[in-house]
Amino acid sequence: MHAVLLFFLQTQDTLVNSSPFSSARLVLILGTLNLCAPPAQCQGRPGPSEHWELGLSGGFLVPHRAVIRSLIDGHASQIQLNWSRTGRGVWSCSRTQPRWGLGLRFGESGASGAVGKQASLLGMAELRIVHGLDFRFGAGIGWTQNQWSTSTPEDRQHVVIGSPINAAIEVGLHRPPLARPSGAWHNLLGFHFCLAHQSNASFTQPNLGTNVASLGISALVKSRSPQRSLASDTLAVLSFLPPPVLGWTIHAGIGRRQPAPLASRETPVEWGFDHRWGKGLRLGGTMGISGYSRPSELGLGIHAGFQLRFSTVYIDLVHGRYLKRWQPEEHSYNRVVINVHLSRHLWSKLALHTHGFRAHHPSLGLVWSFGHRSTCAK
């Protein structure tokens, strides 16, 4: 579940002047948090299995770069509409009381001239942390009203982001309203704190990205609670869940990036071997070696990290060091890789390659697994 948080931190053009070791610590912290998560329970949470929630929030645009501080001219505000339902199937059995759904956001960024209004459509998931409090994360597509271009002097001042359509990511905490409130009045309301991010992974420059922190309230506008019965031995299904796919894999992919706002786009190519290890249903490990190429430059690196497992979707969070640098100023790299099982030994992958907290390039590719395939795969 922490993959979205790491992806958010790394898709910035830059957040802080971070050393390679701080990035490695971040990966370690996220893996440790996942290990400390409550035990899996194959059961739905109390309350509605499906509901619609309407919310309002206020906050501010985070000035993660000095240039952004001078562009802020007000507070951020947002209206939210969320639909969610109780998790089912193998994914529900291997997580603690999950929910999944869709979210729609629209509002002011807090920088009316440089950024303007923003909107996003997100696929979301929620996992229970403690009673009454969930960890919410989502990813999808976003829209930003003002972006950089050379068309007019005004457009050249929009230095935050270079594209209207971007990747949108949200992480935060959510206390959902109760479907059948009792006791204190605040049970009628839900509360949420979130950090919303938009950027384009350096596909188009500039790519400083936007980060909006907000606090809000929400209320149920519609809910549905069909009758469901659970056998007393429901947890026994965990013993029948299929084992993870382990062993060696080979991968190749191709990406696209723009080095500078007026530069031509280039096409990075990557390939390599990885080894998946650890028999956990939710968390394992990965290590490997990869090669990279861009016009007139070749690179080679070794990496290791955690692997978050969601049935037929594996998410790699890795930190690596270059044996041969393809950019002289960079010594290390981070990668977030989403692997989706296609058929038997074949997987697809979507990856983000970063240097520190600066996105370098996104890529698409294929993975061939030499290990045993999961019995739950298609």
Side-chain angles (χ1 to χ4, degrees), residues 90 239-246 281 311-312 314 341 344 347 371-378:
V90 173
S239 62
F240 298 100
L241 291 177
V245 181
L246 305 177
L281 291 174
S311 303
T312 58
Y314 289 4
H341 187 261
R344 296 189 63 81
W347 300 64
H372 299 292
R373 71 184 185 93
S374 170
T375 57
C376 73
K378 299 176 182 178

Side-chain angles (χ1 to χ4, degrees), residues 20-74:
F21 300 103
S22 64
S23 301
R25 286 198 299 268
L26 178 59
V27 175
L28 178 62
I29 290 169
L30 295 179
T32 304
L33 288 174
N34 199 73
L35 282 171
C36 296
Q41 300 179 16
C42 187
Q43 60 183 19
R45 69 174 65 180
S49 65
E50 182 176 316
H51 70 219
W52 291 83
E53 191 176 346
L54 183 65
L56 297 172
S57 63
F60 59 93
L61 180 65
V62 179
H64 61 277
R65 289 289 296 273
V67 66
I68 294 180
R69 186 182 301 274
S70 63
L71 303 176
I72 298 174
D73 56 10

Side-chain angles (χ1 to χ4, degrees), residues 119-281:
S120 59
L121 177 63
L122 307 169
M124 300 191 307
E126 291 190 17
L127 298 179
R128 177 61 54 88
I129 300 177
V130 295
H131 179 68
L133 185 63
D134 298 343
F135 176 76
R136 173 191 282 175
F137 60 95
I141 188 169
W143 167 80
T144 297
Q145 182 182 19
N146 299 330
Q147 61 279 168
W148 185 90
S149 76
T150 59
S151 301
T152 66
E154 181 182 4
D155 289 343
R156 287 193 285 271
Q157 301 303 313
H158 302 159
V159 297
V160 177
I161 202 162
S163 55
I165 305 300
N166 305 285
I169 298 163
E170 180 181 294
V171 294
L173 301 175
H174 179 225
R175 178 197 178 276
L178 298 181
R180 299 179 179 86
S182 59
W185 64 269
H186 57 73
N187 288 331
L188 292 167
L189 300 175
F191 300 90
H192 56 269
F193 169 76
C194 67
L195 193 61
H197 171 75
Q198 285 197 30
S199 71
N200 61 48
S202 288
F203 185 81
T204 300
Q205 295 290 346
N207 184 47
L208 300 183
T210 62
N211 305 304
V212 176
S214 63
L215 179 66
I217 60 174
S218 59
L220 283 180
V221 294
K222 183 180 180 181
S223 64
R224 187 167 65 91
S225 304
Q227 294 296 322
R228 297 178 62 191
S229 59
L230 295 174
S232 59
D233 60 347
T234 303
L235 291 177
V237 72
L238 289 174
S239 62
F240 298 100
L241 291 177
V245 181
L246 305 177
W248 285 98
T249 65
I250 184 173
H251 66 86
I254 188 169
R256 196 73 169 157
R257 69 184 294 263
Q258 186 181 31
L262 296 178
S264 299
R265 287 190 173 89
E266 61 184 29
T267 303
V269 178
E270 51 189 46
W271 62 92
F273 294 90
D274 287 290
H275 185 265
R276 299 170 177 172
W277 53 271
K279 297 183 179 180
L281 291 174

Side-chain angles (χ1 to χ4, degrees), residues 288 300 364:
L300 183 68
L364 288 170

Side-chain angles (χ1 to χ4, degrees), residues 273-274 286-290 292 301-305 318-321 333:
F273 294 90
D274 287 290
T286 182
M287 59 190 301
I289 183 169
S290 292
Y292 307 95
I302 55 173
H303 55 260
V318 301
H319 176 76
R321 300 284 291 184
Y333 61 91

